[in-house]
Amino acid sequence: MKTPESAPSSTEFVVLMASLMSLVALSIDTMLPALDNIGRSLQITDPKDSQFIISTVFLGMGFGLVFYGPFGDTFGRKKSIYLGVAIFAVGSLISLLSESLPVMLCGRFLQGFGGSSCRIMTMAMIRDRYSGRDMARVVSLIMMIFILVPVLAPTVGQGILFVGSWRTIFGLFLVMSLLTVSWLAWRQPETLKEENRKSFNLKVILSGFRETILHPKSRAYTITAGVMFGGFVGYLSLSQQLLQVAYGLDEMFSVYFGAMALAVGFSSFANSRLVMLVSMEKLCATALLLGSVISAIFFTYAYFKGGLPRIEFLTVYFLGTFFSLGLLFGNLNAMAVEPLGHIAGTANSVISSIQTLISVVIGTAIGSFYEGNVLPIVGGFFACTTLSLIVILTVKKESSSVVGSI
C-alpha cells in the first residue's frame, strides 16, 4: 500500500507504533522490582495490597478500551492518542508524588485508562495504512519489538533502583510518554480520512456492544480469552513476591522474568506459522489441554514439596505454561472478532474491554490466596485452562451440530 510522501518510512512507522504500544507494558513490568520499596515508602502493612499496584492498571485499561475505539473513529487516531497519553502522563505524575496507597492506585488507574488508547489506536493506524499480507508483516515486526519490553523492563527498573528511588521510575514513564507523543505529532500524519469518520453516537456504541455480547461464538471466545488472561494477571501480580522474595532471587528476578516473556514471544512466532497449517480452534484446544495437564501435574508435585519446589522445576513449568499462552491470545481474539467484521472497530473495543475486566477479577482472586508459595498461581492456571477448554470444546461441538443440521 502506497503511503503519502510526508509519512514516515515503514521502518520508522514500525518503531513508532511499537513504542506507543509499549507504554502500558512498560508501566507494568518496570515496576515489578520496586514493589517492596513502594510498599515500605507508602507504609503498606499487608504485602498482598501491593498486588493492586499492578492489577489497577488493568482495571483502568478495561474501561479505557471500550472508549477509545469509537472516539478514534470519530475524531481521528492522533487526537485519541493525544488524549490518552495526556491522561497517562497525569496518572504517572500522581503516582510519582503519591504518599499513600489510594493516591498511588488513582494514578495507576489513570495510567491504564490513558495508555489503553495506544493499544487500540496503534492497531487502527496499522489497518488504515496497510492491508492483507503487508499488514500481517508489519504487525509481526511490531510484536517482535514489543516482546522486548517484558524482557528488558524489569532490568531497567532494577537498574534505576541502584541509582535512584522508585519515584524515578515514574519519572521515566512521564518522559517516555512525552517523547513518544511528540514523535507521533512531528512525524506521523493522521491516517483516518475525513470521509471515513463516524459520528460519536452512544446509541451506535450500545448497539455494537449488545451485538458483540449476544453473538454466541464471540461471547464464548471473549470470555475464554479473559479467563486465560486472568491467570496471567495473577502471575504478574505475584511474580515479584514469589520469585524475588519467596525464592530470594533478588537482582536475578529480571532474568527469570525475561525468560518467561521470551517463551510467549517464541510461541507467538510459532503460532504465526502453525495457524497456516492447523485450524485456530484445534490450536487453542491443544494449547489449553497442554496447560491443564502440566498445571495439574505440577500442582500435585508442588503440593508435596510444601508449595516451594526447586526453582529449576518451577522455571520449566512456567516456560511450558507461557508457551501455551502464546498459542492462545492471538487466536482467541481473532475468533472472537471474526463474526463481527461489519462492526470490527467497536467489537474490538468491547471484546478487549470485557477481557481485561474479567482478567482483573480473576487475577485479583488468585492473588488473594497467596501465602508465600506457588500453589495459587499453578492452581489458578489449572482452573483457567480447564474451564477455557470446556468452553472451547462446547463451542466447537455446537458449531458442528449446526453445520450437520444444515
Side-chain angles (χ1 to χ4, degrees), residues 33-45 50 166 240:
L35 289 180
D36 280 350
N37 302 56
I38 295 174
R40 288 190 293 269
S41 178
L42 301 184
Q43 298 180 339
I44 299 175
T45 55
S50 297
W166 60 266
Q240 182 270 337

Side-chain angles (χ1 to χ4, degrees), residues 180-393:
T180 51
V181 80
S182 298
W183 185 6
L184 174 75
W186 178 44
R187 294 289 298 158
Q188 177 61 51
E190 175 59 57
T191 58
L192 181 64
K193 297 179 180 179
E194 289 289 342
E195 60 268 25
N196 293 333
R197 301 192 181 196
K198 302 174 183 178
S199 60
F200 195 71
N201 189 312
L202 183 60
K203 183 178 180 181
V204 173
I205 296 172
L206 292 177
S207 175
F209 187 93
R210 182 175 181 275
E211 184 175 353
T212 303
I213 293 298
L214 294 181
H215 195 287
K217 288 185 68 174
S218 178
R219 180 176 64 243
Y221 292 131
T222 296
I223 293 173
T224 301
V227 169
M228 288 309 305
F229 194 43
F232 187 64
V233 171
Y235 162 78
L236 282 177
S237 299
L238 295 174
S239 60
Q240 182 270 337
Q241 295 180 57
L242 178 67
L243 298 177
Q244 196 170 41
V245 179
Y247 277 93
L249 294 181
D250 296 326
E251 289 81 7
M252 287 296 293
F253 162 70
S254 59
V255 176
Y256 280 83
F257 188 87
M260 312 306 174
L262 286 176
V264 177
F266 178 74
S267 63
S268 298
F269 174 77
N271 181 70
S272 67
R273 303 297 181 90
L274 291 172
V275 78
M276 305 302 293
L277 305 173
V278 184
S279 69
M280 288 187 287
E281 292 90 343
K282 185 173 291 187
L283 277 173
C284 288
T286 302
L288 289 169
L289 180 60
L290 172 65
S292 180
V293 170
I294 64 175
S295 292
I297 294 172
F298 193 76
F299 183 89
T300 304
Y301 167 73
Y303 178 81
F304 286 105
K305 289 292 183 179
L308 286 175
R310 291 176 57 179
I311 187 63
E312 296 86 357
F313 295 142
L314 179 63
T315 301
V316 172
Y317 164 72
F318 277 147
L319 289 174
T321 300
F322 293 147
F323 182 86
S324 67
L325 287 177
L327 298 175
L328 289 172
F329 291 138
N331 292 332
L332 288 172
N333 280 289
M335 290 189 294
V337 78
E338 184 178 13
L340 300 168
H342 58 292
I343 53 167
T346 300
N348 185 50
S349 288
V350 173
I351 288 168
S352 298
S353 180
I354 293 173
Q355 288 174 0
T356 305
L357 292 174
I358 290 174
S359 71
V360 171
V361 174
I362 293 177
T364 302
I366 291 173
S368 68
F369 288 99
Y370 182 69
E371 296 293 342
N373 59 61
V374 305
L375 296 181
I377 297 178
V378 181
F381 273 127
F382 171 73
C384 291
T385 50
T386 304
L387 176 61
S388 298
L389 180 61
I390 293 172
V391 174
I392 289 288
L393 294 178

Side-chain angles (χ1 to χ4, degrees), residues 111 139 172:
Q111 281 189 307
V139 171
L172 172 66

